[in-house]
Amino acid sequence: MARKSNPVPPPPPPPQWVLDLNSRPPSKPKSTNIPDPPGYTAAITNKRSAASKQPPRKPPTAEETDTLKLKKSWELALAPAKALPMNAIMMYMSGNSLQIFSIMMVFMLFKNPIQGLLQTNQVFTRFETEGTKGRLWMVKVTYVFMNLVALSLGIWKVNGMGLLPTTRSDWLAWETERVPLERAVFAF
């Protein structure tokens, strides 16, 4: 008994949207009866297309690159100072009581500058070249100073919370009893 094979029907044609997606859009005729919108002139678009066909600009020189790197390093050095006003307002608004919010704020106020101080050389390694090496030390000094100012803000806040031992009563454990030089006895 021979088996009769059924012919496989051809696949269905793709939908119209697939054909439209894969084919190029038909070119539009140059002369249409639709007028240009107000303010549109063909001369401006021709200038833009001509300007876009200009040759690519030449690569920057080493001196220009060094100047740009120095400017970026100054921006990075002054970044801690830009955060000071916001941190000061947040410290003022959090109050002087010991609450989780104020403690976390003080923790972050200490953590970020200390991390910045420890990573000073790592932060500026991407800006170091032979041309900027001599001029980069002042940027690093400024960066360290700005982080120290941020640390001083944290110390001010901790003092305001009463956590710094700055009064005499904080050191009573190490005080010795006074020995009187004279004794006064009340007599009738």
Side-chain angles (χ1 to χ4, degrees):
M1 211 176 182
R3 233 174 168 191
K4 193 176 188 186
S5 64
N6 290 337
V8 177
Q16 185 62 35
W17 66 270
V18 173
L19 296 174
D20 292 343
L21 184 67
N22 292 331
S23 65
R24 298 182 84 206
S27 61
K28 296 182 180 175
K30 297 283 182 187
S31 60
T32 60
N33 56 0
I34 302 173
D36 289 338
Y40 174 80
T41 57
I44 292 175
T45 58
N46 289 340
K47 286 181 184 177
R48 285 187 186 158
S49 64
S52 66
K53 293 179 183 177
Q54 289 179 350
R57 66 182 192 137
K58 61 179 181 168
T61 63
E63 185 178 326
E64 291 173 340
T65 304
D66 289 346
T67 305
L68 182 62
K69 284 184 177 183
L70 203 60
K71 285 181 182 180
K72 290 294 182 181
S73 65
W74 272 110
E75 286 179 18
L76 191 62
L78 295 175
K82 292 178 182 177
L84 282 177
M86 179 193 63
N87 284 336
I89 290 171
M90 289 177 69
M91 290 299 118
Y92 174 75
M93 297 301 264
S94 67
N96 289 335
S97 60
L98 290 176
Q99 298 172 357
I100 189 68
F101 181 73
S102 58
I103 292 171
M104 291 302 293
M105 293 296 296
V106 169
F107 172 74
M108 292 303 291
L109 196 58
F110 278 108
K111 179 184 144 292
N112 292 336
I114 289 173
Q115 273 185 336
L117 289 172
L118 293 176
Q119 297 174 352
T120 300
N121 286 329
Q122 294 170 355
V123 168
F124 292 103
T125 53
R126 62 183 173 166
F127 301 115
E128 281 190 17
T129 59
E130 290 300 320
T132 61
K133 199 165 196 140
R135 297 182 284 177
L136 209 56
W137 71 272
M138 190 63 184
V139 176
K140 289 181 181 180
V141 168
T142 304
Y143 181 73
V144 168
F145 178 73
M146 292 304 159
N147 279 312
L148 289 176
V149 170
L151 271 177
S152 66
L153 182 65
I155 292 172
W156 167 78
K157 179 63 176 176
V158 169
N159 185 39
M161 292 171 78
L163 298 177
L164 282 183
T166 56
T167 61
R168 187 172 179 187
S169 62
D170 292 327
W171 302 97
L172 284 180
W174 292 275
E175 286 277 329
T176 57
E177 186 179 350
R178 286 189 180 178
V179 178
L181 298 175
E182 298 178 0
R183 292 196 187 265
V185 178
F186 183 70
F188 287 94

